[in-house]
Amino acid sequence: MNENLLKTGERIDQLYSDQVKIIQNKDVFSYSIDSVLLSRFPKIPSRGLIVDLCSGNGAIGLFASQQTRARIVEVEIQERLADMAQRSIKLNQLEEQVSMVRDDLKNLLDYVPRSGVDLILCNPPYFKASETSKKNLSEHYLLARHEITTNLEEICQISRHALKSNGRLAMVHRPDRFIDILDCLRQYGLAPKRIQFVYPKVGNDANMLLIEAIKDGSIDGLIILPPLIVHQDNGDYTDQIKRIYFGSHENEKESKNL
């Protein structure tokens, strides 16, 4: 069955800490640590409605599905990526819980009720469209990483319309966009509540940030979480990242080696 779902150049990846399997293609799109961290960052509601915007190959929504019975709607504009996500949904037999919408996220309210979403997850394009020097040659990566088909303001605007009062938006982004993010969230009535900076190693500058905001929330009570360090000095994952990637399997492996 698995082989029948794969197209040329594709593979199936799985986190050791998770049962879900993701169809990947390094030349088209593959999830990375930012997707994994975002799926673990907010408290996932046990029921209700979750939306995964800019979903790519569907990894974040599929990872989140293992933590909840909520209905999950994934939204991706690129046909090739949406097709990969749809096949991953089928691969994991999650058709009753997770659905894929191939459309521009500005049309989200055609698929979910206004003010009806409990949580929006978003791994958006990080770079402004004017940042041309490092654009990837692949069209798929180009659209996924640069604000060409959507941008930060549009994401905040549609989140404002789709979220319930006290519903939450959780994003992963780049630290150099931090001020833009805060300004945009507040412009659309989304109060930042939790922020965590992610560092490649101790002593390095942060290269990611995780942020959670609440619709119509108070601007008071912002929490800056302890830093999240990805690698030890020798290049191995830190214990915290190991727990995210490997869960109890890593602990079992270490116990067998003692």
Side-chain angles (χ1 to χ4, degrees), residues 18-205:
D18 216 324
Q19 297 300 312
V20 73
K21 299 176 181 178
I22 310 291
I23 294 174
Q24 309 253 72
N25 185 326
K26 66 181 179 63
D27 295 324
V28 178
F29 187 89
S30 296
Y31 74 81
S32 56
I33 190 169
D34 50 359
S35 298
V36 178
L37 295 181
L38 178 59
S39 72
R40 301 298 197 269
F41 178 64
K43 181 179 180 181
I44 304 294
S46 60
R47 298 182 183 276
L49 177 58
I50 298 171
V51 170
D52 175 17
L53 292 179
C54 307
S55 66
N57 65 347
I60 296 170
L62 288 167
F63 291 146
S65 73
Q66 305 301 289
Q67 308 169 57
T68 181
R69 294 183 180 179
R71 184 164 70 93
I72 299 174
V73 177
E74 301 191 314
V75 182
E76 172 55 48
I77 195 170
Q78 294 194 61
E79 182 176 6
R80 183 72 173 85
L81 275 59
D83 174 65
M84 292 168 67
Q86 185 61 58
R87 286 181 285 120
S88 287
I89 293 168
K90 184 176 181 180
L91 175 65
N92 291 281
Q93 300 180 337
L94 288 169
E95 296 96 327
E96 296 298 315
Q97 182 185 11
V98 184
S99 59
M100 164 53 64
V101 170
R102 188 184 75 80
D103 201 345
D104 193 309
L105 63 82
K106 66 168 60 79
N107 300 321
L108 176 62
L109 296 184
D110 292 343
Y111 306 95
V112 302
R114 180 182 293 271
S115 301
V117 177
D118 296 277
L119 173 66
I120 292 177
L121 301 164
C122 187
N123 184 355
Y126 292 160
F127 303 102
K128 295 181 179 180
S130 59
E131 297 176 30
T132 57
S133 60
K134 295 184 179 180
K135 285 186 179 179
N136 195 291
L137 293 179
S138 163
E139 178 186 1
H140 301 291
Y141 280 105
L142 179 66
L143 295 179
R145 293 176 177 174
H146 291 78
E147 292 182 331
I148 296 172
T149 59
T150 192
N151 56 46
L152 184 59
E153 182 172 1
E154 188 172 71
I155 289 164
C156 291
Q157 182 181 49
I158 194 63
S159 296
R160 169 74 191 176
H161 293 313
L163 286 171
K164 296 177 177 178
S165 184
N166 293 320
R168 292 170 293 131
L169 167 65
M171 284 194 297
V172 59
H173 219 295
R174 289 175 55 87
D176 59 10
R177 299 292 304 276
F178 185 39
I179 301 302
D180 289 343
I181 294 166
L182 293 180
D183 288 345
C184 200
L185 289 172
R186 294 188 65 177
Q187 178 183 350
Y188 288 96
L190 302 166
K193 287 296 183 180
R194 297 171 65 244
I195 296 170
Q196 186 170 41
F197 290 93
V198 183
Y199 298 80
K201 290 183 179 180
V202 172
N204 289 162
D205 293 338

